[in-house]
Amino acid sequence: MEGIMMKTIYVNATFFTMDKENHIFENGMMVVEDQLISYIGERSDELMVGADQVVDLAGKWVMPGLVNTHSHILMTLLRGIGDDMLLKPWLETKIWPIESQYTTEIASVSAQLGILEMVKSGTTTFSDMFNPNGIDSNVVMETIGETGIRGAFSYSIFSFGTEEQQKANIKGAEEFSKKYKMFADGRLTTMVAPHSPYACTPEALMECVRIAKENDLMMHIHVSETDYEIQDILTRYGNRPVEHLRKLGVFDQPTVMAHGVVLNDEERAILKQYDVRVAHNPISNLKLGSGVADVVSLLDAGIIVGIATDSTASNNNLDMFEEVRTAALLQKGMYKDATKLPAQTALALATRVGAEAIGMGHTGSLEANKKADFITIYPYDKEHLQPVSAAYSHLLYAARGSDVCDVFIDGKTIVKDRKCLTIDEEKVIAEVNRLQKSLV
């Protein structure tokens, strides 16, 4: 009943907390009350008293839901379009022209498909940027709210078109920011999201800073993704992208910087000084030929780094298990040092640290007083997760999104036995294929 706190206890599972101490509780117990974890640890008969529900997890592994720090779910419908292209021509000749044909229906269905893929592969929290051109962003946000996912959905700002179109874009972003700062009982929020230093004028970027400051919102922006971008911004403005944005005041607000592939020591020092967080997109950066971000140097500089998938148009999936594994292996290969980005560190970037990166430290680990956002994996019928005694290793080096059994957000079941309870899977898949034909 509304207003009455329910006490649910989960038992008979191995809990991987992903907290700072990386506690693991075999045959442990977790208590969830009113959307929050109130206890996690060894089994306690005393705490069983007064439980409204006791859930036997039958030996499953339990870990925090994964956190995808940079995505574009409205592009999910564009999976497989524009493969094997460099970023600039890919955006200018494929992605942006097709997005200009979007309708609200296309955007909503694409968002549902993206969220369906995310939650079924273990992602419970995401931070997204979307192109608002031609769509009713309110309808799309309502659709996202109904799925039960947690995250930030942000209205991209561009300096394209006429002066009037640019003003309308910024006005739309400001209205969206005010309206959705707190939405869906606090599960959803938004950030101020200038697309990039190359797609926004200095004047537009300063307007973004104003909106963010006035509404106490974070910034989310693509930065230093390619060598071409570095040279382009240097030619236009006399500074590399990081210094260009710093001078405009962008970093005066808490900022999530997507990519950060091409950075030098001086720029990393600036990012640390301003507490800029980096969303690392290893597979997208590889596929687009952008390069490999030096995550080890970012972490050594004390910069908060989260893991991200980017869009399915450049990935081509939203499996965060695959993403974080790729991130770890790339750093080991780059440095020719197998000790770089070990399992516990890498998994933290995909959970607790990723949540901190996007300003959602109330989730990302299994700890008392944090949101009950968690996923389960049943390992005993999966050959690639044997022997189960090496579970922590398997979570990074062997697990797949398809191994996820159940997903809980705010303590509510979103996926049960690999079936999403909040999205009509068959309908969404049928609609995606119908609508995609109208675009290509």
Side-chain angles (χ1 to χ4, degrees):
M1 294 175 61
E2 188 175 351
I4 297 178
M5 184 180 296
M6 297 291 290
K7 181 178 180 179
T8 303
I9 299 179
Y10 298 88
V11 296
N12 192 16
T14 298
F15 294 89
F16 300 85
T17 64
M18 306 292 173
D19 60 11
K20 290 182 179 179
E21 290 75 31
N22 283 303
H23 288 117
I24 301 174
F25 299 105
E26 296 184 14
N27 194 25
M29 182 170 115
M30 184 168 69
V31 182
V32 174
E33 299 181 73
D34 194 28
Q35 304 179 358
L36 297 175
I37 298 168
S38 60
Y39 171 84
I40 181 142
E42 304 297 338
R43 184 159 178 163
S44 166
D45 291 337
E46 183 179 343
L47 289 174
M48 299 284 285
V49 176
D52 296 290
Q53 184 181 23
V54 177
V55 179
D56 186 338
L57 291 175
K60 290 175 179 176
W61 297 342
V62 181
M63 65 178 288
L66 301 169
V67 179
N68 188 344
T69 55
H70 177 71
S71 62
H72 299 280
I73 57 171
L74 267 56
M75 293 171 65
T76 312
L77 188 139
L78 304 183
R79 193 191 326 258
I81 292 175
D83 285 340
D84 309 319
M85 297 178 69
L86 293 171
L87 176 65
K88 188 173 186 291
W90 176 75
L91 286 172
E92 293 178 348
T93 68
K94 293 290 184 179
I95 300 305
W96 289 338
I98 294 176
E99 285 184 327
S100 70
Q101 303 172 46
Y102 264 41
T103 63
T104 301
E105 182 186 23
I106 289 171
S108 296
V109 170
S110 187
Q112 288 180 82
L113 180 64
I115 293 169
L116 178 63
E117 184 176 354
M118 283 197 286
V119 294
K120 289 188 69 174
S121 58
T123 293
T124 55
T125 301
F126 76 119
S127 181
D128 195 275
M129 299 170 69
F130 71 95
N131 187 337
N133 186 35
I135 68 172
D136 186 334
S137 55
N138 298 299
V139 171
V140 179
M141 189 60 139
E142 293 281 350
T143 299
I144 293 170
E146 293 169 0
T147 68
I149 199 166
R150 185 183 310 285
F153 188 61
S154 305
Y155 190 114
S156 288
I157 294 170
F158 298 91
S159 295
F160 296 155
T162 65
E163 184 177 344
E164 286 304 309
Q165 288 172 325
Q166 293 178 41
K167 287 181 179 178
N169 178 232
I170 290 174
K171 181 181 178 182
E174 184 165 12
E175 291 173 350
F176 189 86
S177 297
K178 292 178 184 294
K179 186 171 184 177
Y180 295 111
K181 179 178 178 179
M182 181 72 71
F183 185 65
D185 297 323
R187 277 188 294 104
L188 295 174
T189 186
T190 188
M191 300 183 187
V192 180
H195 180 272
S196 58
Y198 57 84
C200 293
T201 63
E203 292 76 20
L205 289 167
M206 287 189 286
E207 275 292 278
C208 291
V209 173
R210 177 189 63 78
I211 296 168
K213 285 183 176 180
E214 290 179 1
N215 295 281
D216 191 25
L217 291 170
M218 295 184 70
M219 303 276 283
H220 187 177
I221 181 171
H222 303 91
V223 187
S224 299
E225 189 172 357
T226 64
D227 290 324
Y228 178 87
E229 177 192 337
I230 303 298
Q231 189 56 51
D232 179 36
I233 300 304
L234 191 59
T235 300
R236 285 201 231 178
Y237 304 114
N239 290 294
R240 287 164 62 99
V242 168
E243 176 62 10
H244 175 60
L245 295 174
R246 186 196 69 78
K247 291 178 71 174
L248 291 172
V250 171
F251 299 152
D252 291 342
Q253 281 297 107
T255 300
V256 179
M257 185 179 97
H259 303 297
V261 175
V262 188
L263 296 170
N264 57 34
D265 289 342
E266 181 182 351
E267 289 167 327
R268 281 186 282 268
I270 292 172
L271 300 184
K272 170 59 178 173
Q273 178 186 352
Y274 288 86
D275 191 26
V276 176
R277 301 89 188 271
V278 176
H280 174 46
N281 303 258
I283 296 176
S284 176
N285 294 154
L286 287 172
K287 190 187 176 204
L288 291 168
S290 302
V292 180
D294 188 345
V295 174
V296 169
S297 290
L298 288 168
L299 295 176
D300 286 347
I303 295 164
I304 297 174
V305 178
I307 304 298
T309 61
D310 213 347
S311 78
T312 61
S314 62
N315 189 301
N316 289 21
N317 66 55
L318 300 173
D319 185 346
M320 279 285 290
F321 281 102
E322 180 179 336
E323 203 73 41
V324 67
R325 176 164 52 252
T326 302
L329 296 176
L330 278 173
Q331 298 305 302
K332 296 173 190 298
M334 279 177 57
Y335 278 88
K336 298 183 180 178
D337 183 349
T339 69
K340 300 299 184 183
L341 213 60
Q344 289 187 348
T345 301
L347 288 169
L349 302 188
T351 52
R352 174 177 52 82
V353 179
E356 293 171 4
I358 59 173
M360 297 188 185
H362 54 290
T363 187
S365 58
L366 304 184
E367 300 180 67
N369 299 315
K370 286 204 173 185
K371 289 289 188 176
D373 297 350
F374 60 99
I375 64 177
T376 74
I377 292 174
Y378 185 74
Y380 295 101
D381 59 354
K382 298 176 179 65
E383 297 83 356
H384 61 285
L385 299 182
Q386 309 305 318
V388 294
S389 59
Y392 215 111
S393 170
H394 301 338
L395 289 176
L396 177 66
Y397 295 115
R400 309 163 186 157
S402 58
D403 295 330
V404 174
C405 299
D406 313 299
V407 176
F408 300 81
I409 301 173
D410 271 344
K412 299 175 182 176
T413 308
I414 303 300
V415 175
K416 182 175 178 58
D417 297 326
R418 293 210 49 74
K419 177 69 175 177
C420 185
L421 305 182
T422 60
I423 299 173
D424 186 333
E425 299 186 30
E426 291 185 7
K427 180 180 178 181
V428 166
I429 289 171
E431 289 297 286
V432 162
N433 285 286
R434 175 182 69 84
L435 292 167
Q436 193 260 359
K437 292 177 182 177
S438 69
L439 290 175
V440 176

